[in-house]
Amino acid sequence: QVQLVESGGGLVQAGGSLRLSCATSRSILSFPHMGWYRQIQGEQREFVAAITSGGATNYADSVKGRFIISRDNAKNTVYLQMNSLKPEDTAVYYCKNAFGSWGQGTQVTVSS
């Protein structure tokens, strides 16, 4: 199994920003894509953003224009820059690779 470790979550006021990181021991270029998902309390886990090995990105409509996914190949790390945060962004955020492996998640709480 490939280990994925998320970090960077925390408590932030509405309108603020956070940067999440997903680190893996395996080169991120080994995967066709890497992605971020989130689980809002009481709801199912949902797609947030993804980036392919070629650098193409995709976003859920709910975060488009506010969140940016990026990567650092040398550090085997994928990032999620979260801007203009809203209370409805409050969730546990998970990193996922193309093989279906998940990290343990990091909590993001946005206060109003």
Side-chain angles (χ1 to χ4, degrees), residues 16-57:
S17 298
L18 287 173
R19 188 194 193 198
L20 307 184
S21 298
C22 173
T24 177
S25 59
R26 187 170 179 174
S27 172
I28 59 175
L29 297 179
S30 299
F31 308 109
H33 63 86
M34 296 286 293
W36 286 96
Y37 290 69
R38 68 186 181 187
Q39 186 166 14
I40 298 170
Q41 187 170 324
E43 301 182 8
Q44 293 186 327
R45 195 170 298 183
E46 65 183 24
F47 169 78
V48 175
I51 186 167
T52 71
S53 59
T57 58

Side-chain angles (χ1 to χ4, degrees), residues 2 9 25 30 61 64 75 77 99 111:
V2 178
S25 59
S30 299
D61 288 342
K64 193 173 299 181
K75 296 181 179 179
T77 301
F99 301 141
S111 64

Side-chain angles (χ1 to χ4, degrees), residues 1-9 19-26 28 31 34-36 75-80 93-97 101-107:
Q1 297 184 25
V2 178
Q3 294 293 316
L4 305 172
V5 181
E6 303 98 334
S7 62
R19 188 194 193 198
L20 307 184
S21 298
C22 173
T24 177
S25 59
R26 187 170 179 174
I28 59 175
F31 308 109
M34 296 286 293
W36 286 96
K75 296 181 179 179
N76 295 336
T77 301
V78 177
Y79 303 98
L80 185 68
Y93 284 73
Y94 298 89
C95 184
K96 177 184 177 295
N97 68 20
S101 297
W102 298 89
Q104 291 298 110
T106 184
Q107 175 71 47

